[in-house]
């Protein structure tokens, strides 16, 4: 989400916008692993979820090739407990939860990656901040 | 008798004049106690201003929804952006 930082700086810090992350796992088992890993980190602390979210996106090339050890190392890098994370990741409940969310968005007809639902107004792909800005401004009226 | 009346009148006039110009007494706190602070007049912040930390920097609230998804921002923000995306 290239415009995310501007949305955060402009609207989230002002208390006008809340961002919810909903995983899409179209690229196979690694997609599920990445989203499940983020949820395992979030189980420890919601702040850590977003730190991990940002870290995985910033290093998407490595994340694409990431294995269990990579996800554990990244979790430790944002301050999560390594052992607790590994137990969560291996246990599989987060993987199942992520698959449920993925199926739910398919059932809602969200089929394009990425998709942004802004108070019911949909934005597709990765448009510039100005596109989000216009939709958010309309939603704030 | 007339002198006494004039003298009394002068005393009364002097007393009235002194009352009119007397300064308002300032309360002095008991010894060992700090003086009461002057109340500050602070403008009420607008309702849309986000929380800030001790350094005045905006604080982004992170949390988890009942459905298990995670959010970033004020829980009662008027606009919600649901980001459906893949980490890869």
């Amino acid at each position: 989400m290239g415009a995310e930082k501007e949305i955060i700086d402009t609207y989230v810090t002002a208390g006008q916008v809340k961002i919810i992350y909903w995983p899409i796992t179209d690229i196979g088992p690694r997609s599920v692993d990445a989203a499940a890993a983020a949820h395992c980190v979030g189980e420890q602390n919601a702040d850590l979820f977003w730190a991990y979210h940002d870290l995985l996106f910033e290093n998407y090339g490595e994340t694409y090739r990431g294995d269990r050890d990579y996800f554990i190392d990244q979790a430790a890098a944002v301050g999560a407990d390594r052992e607790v994370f590994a137990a969560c990741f291996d246990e599989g409940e987060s993987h199942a939860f992520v698959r449920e969310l993925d199926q739910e968005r398919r059932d809602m007809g969200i089929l394009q990656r990425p998709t942004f639902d802004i108070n019911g107004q949909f934005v597709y792909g990765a448009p510039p901040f100005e596109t989000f800005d216009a939709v958010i401004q309309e939603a704030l009226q | 008798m007339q002198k006494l009346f004039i003298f009394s009148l002068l005393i009364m006039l002097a007393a009235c004049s002194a009352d009119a110009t007397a300064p308002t007494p300032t309360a002095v706190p008991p010894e060992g106690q700090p003086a009461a602070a002057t109340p500050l007049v602070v403008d009420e912040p607008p309702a849309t201003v986000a929380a800030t930390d001790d350094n005045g920097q905006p604080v982004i609230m992170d949390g988890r929804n009942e459905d298990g998804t995670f959010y970033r921002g004020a829980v009662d923000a008027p606009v919600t952006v649901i980001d459906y995306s893949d980490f890869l």
Side-chain angles (χ1 to χ4, degrees), chain A residues 41-112:
Chain A
V41 170
E43 290 281 349
Q44 294 188 36
N45 183 314
D47 289 328
L48 294 185
F49 172 86
W50 288 102
Y52 198 72
H53 165 278
D54 295 345
L55 187 64
L56 293 189
F57 269 115
E58 287 165 9
N59 301 296
Y60 66 91
E62 293 177 51
T63 301
Y64 183 79
R65 296 184 296 274
D67 58 10
R68 177 181 178 276
D69 288 342
Y70 169 81
F71 290 119
I72 292 174
D73 288 343
Q74 300 306 302
V78 297
D81 183 287
R82 180 181 289 268
E83 304 302 324
V84 172
F85 173 86
C88 173
F89 189 78
D90 293 342
E91 188 265 343
E93 191 171 319
S94 284
H95 286 74
F97 176 66
V98 163
R99 289 191 185 93
E100 284 177 21
L101 288 178
D102 193 45
Q103 185 57 50
E104 196 172 330
R105 64 93 188 166
R106 289 174 194 274
D107 294 343
M108 290 187 290
I110 309 292
L111 302 176
Q112 189 165 331

Side-chain angles (χ1 to χ4, degrees), chain B residues 6-22:
Chain B
I6 292 171
F7 179 73
S8 298
L9 188 62
L10 287 172
I11 292 292
M12 288 173 64
L13 286 172
C16 288
S17 174
D19 285 345
T21 58

Side-chain angles (χ1 to χ4, degrees), chain B residues 54-79:
Chain B
D54 292 342
N55 297 319
Q57 298 299 311
V59 174
I60 302 174
M61 305 299 291
D62 297 334
R64 192 168 192 183
N65 297 306
E66 288 185 7
D67 63 8
T69 57
F70 290 90
Y71 67 84
R72 170 187 271 175
V75 67
D76 58 350
V79 176

Side-chain angles (χ1 to χ4, degrees), chain A residues 13-14 19-21 31 47 119, chain B residues 48 50 62 72 80 83 85-86:
Chain A
T13 58
I19 297 175
I20 296 172
Y21 178 72
S31 284
D47 289 328
N119 277 18
Chain B
T48 55
D62 297 334
R72 170 187 271 175
T80 299
D83 169 10
S85 61
D86 198 319

